[in-house]
Amino acid sequence: MEAEAAGIVSSWLAQLGIFGLGLAVIGGFVWLWMRESRAVRADTETIIARKDREIVDLTKRLADSEAKERKTYDELMACRYPEMGGN
């Protein structure tokens, strides 16, 4: 009777150990997946921030270019048509 009980307890502990090992493996995969998804998210945020800075820089350059173009146009018109407020 005791041998049978010990066999049942031993079998139960073995099954519990296998179950725990399975949970550990699944937990490891979940941990790796979470770590990778955080890394991808950080990379994506870095790329978006860099693109935002590029857009701001290009917008500033475009505004400067338009201002220079407008000034050149105004100077040209002032030289061409002095009666319109030129020199």
Side-chain angles (χ1 to χ4, degrees), residues 12-69:
W12 184 77
L13 286 175
Q15 289 177 358
L16 186 61
I18 290 171
F19 179 72
L21 183 61
L23 283 180
V25 168
I26 291 171
F29 282 122
V30 169
W31 178 77
L32 286 173
W33 175 73
M34 293 288 288
R35 189 174 135 209
E36 185 64 26
S37 68
R38 274 183 278 176
V40 168
R41 185 172 56 239
D43 290 345
T44 303
E45 290 171 356
T46 302
I47 291 168
I48 290 171
R50 185 175 354 125
K51 293 298 179 186
D52 285 345
R53 286 191 302 269
E54 288 176 10
I55 289 170
V56 168
D57 182 50
L58 288 173
T59 304
K60 287 179 183 177
R61 287 175 42 198
L62 179 62
D64 291 345
S65 175
E66 287 175 347
K68 286 179 186 177
E69 185 178 319

